[in-house]
């Protein structure tokens, strides 16, 4: 891999690049993201700026030759808030409490297939080693991501109820966990 790769936490000055990457992700991946592209497109610029200032959210960027190639986040939240109220009682207790999650992991297509995401997420995990237990939620049909997470040491611990994804169809999800030393 090239030497012109850098990783850093994004700041408010990066909001336009972050917005563009997120828009691409939601447009190109309607079966793995629970947000419709049309809805993401309508979010005001202030939304993207506030995302980068949220104290419960750390958004990372992977840059190749100063171009944002990939994004990923570490967030502290109660994941059950992302499910319809009627299904919350079906969720395991581990999803109904606040905890750290790896989320919003996206690699632009032109940077895929070279190990970039493995290195990028490993870098994030090393930086966030203070979190003893890190989880993530991934759509069962997102096989490429599941394979990456398993290489990083995440294990599937639960199958969660289906959520409506960006294509308006329900997909079950896995809860995966990584115990950090």
């Amino acid at each position: 891999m090239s030497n012109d790769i850098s990783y850093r936490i994004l700041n408010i000055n990066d909001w336009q690049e972050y917005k563009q990457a997120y828009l691409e992700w939601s447009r190109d991946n309607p079966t793995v993201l629970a947000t419709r592209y049309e809805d993401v497109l309508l979010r005001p610029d202030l939304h993207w700026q506030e995302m980068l200032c949220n104290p419960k959210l750390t958004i990372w960027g992977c840059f190749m030759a100063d171009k944002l190639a990939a994004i990923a986040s570490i967030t502290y939240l109660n994941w059950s808030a992302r499910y319809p109220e009627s299904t919350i009682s079906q969720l395991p207790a581990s999803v109904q409490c606040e905890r750290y999650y790896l989320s919003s992991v996206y690699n632009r297509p032109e940077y895929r297939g070279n190990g970039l995401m493995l290195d990028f997420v490993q870098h994030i995990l090393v930086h966030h080693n203070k979190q003893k237990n890190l989880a993530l939620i991934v759509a069962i049909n997102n096989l490429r991501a599941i394979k990456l997470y398993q290489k990083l040491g995440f294990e599937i611990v639960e199958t969660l109820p289906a959520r409506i994804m960006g294509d308006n169809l329900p997909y079950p999800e896995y809860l995966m966990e990584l115990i950090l030393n």
Side-chain angles (χ1 to χ4, degrees):
M1 218 172 325
S2 171
N3 289 336
D4 59 351
I5 297 173
S6 62
Y7 312 117
R8 67 176 172 81
I9 296 171
L10 300 183
N11 62 53
I12 195 163
N13 297 320
D14 299 309
W15 76 268
Q16 289 174 311
E17 283 184 281
Y18 174 64
K19 174 184 175 180
Q20 186 60 42
Y22 200 98
L23 285 170
E24 290 171 16
W25 180 36
S26 66
R27 180 195 65 216
D28 298 341
N29 299 282
T31 64
V32 300
L33 188 63
T35 308
R36 289 176 353 113
Y37 171 70
E38 294 78 9
D39 295 335
V40 176
L41 200 55
L42 295 174
R43 292 177 181 169
D45 292 344
L46 184 59
H47 165 82
W48 305 101
Q49 295 163 8
E50 288 174 344
M51 292 283 290
L52 294 169
C53 298
N54 183 337
K56 290 189 171 191
L57 179 63
T58 304
I59 302 172
W60 283 84
C62 172
F63 293 83
M64 290 190 71
D66 296 324
K67 180 171 172 31
L68 185 60
I71 56 173
S73 304
I74 298 286
T75 185
Y76 187 72
L77 58 77
N78 179 332
W79 198 271
S80 67
R82 295 182 173 207
Y83 282 83
E85 200 169 314
S86 61
T87 63
I88 290 176
S89 64
Q90 301 169 30
L91 296 173
S94 58
V95 178
Q96 296 186 43
C97 60
E98 287 202 342
R99 64 190 297 187
Y100 287 98
Y101 287 91
L102 176 66
S103 63
S104 302
V105 179
Y106 173 67
N107 187 13
R108 286 185 153 147
E110 63 267 31
Y111 299 106
R112 293 181 185 157
N114 60 8
L116 177 74
M117 283 309 284
L118 184 66
D119 292 344
F120 178 41
V121 177
Q122 281 177 330
H123 177 84
I124 294 169
L125 295 178
V126 166
H127 188 276
H128 287 279
N129 67 2
K130 60 189 169 284
Q131 282 81 36
K132 299 298 181 200
N133 185 324
L134 188 62
L136 62 86
I137 308 289
V138 61
I140 287 176
N141 64 331
N142 194 347
L143 301 178
R144 179 180 227 150
I146 293 166
K147 184 177 176 182
L148 169 71
Y149 300 139
Q150 288 174 328
K151 279 184 184 177
L152 291 162
F154 284 88
E155 296 178 8
I156 297 168
V157 295
E158 298 266 0
T159 300
L160 303 176
R163 272 196 309 164
I164 302 296
M165 296 298 173
D167 63 355
N168 290 320
L169 296 174
Y171 293 91
E173 297 175 297
Y174 288 135
L175 169 64
M176 299 181 78
E177 291 183 348
L178 173 69
I179 306 301
L180 299 170
N181 297 323

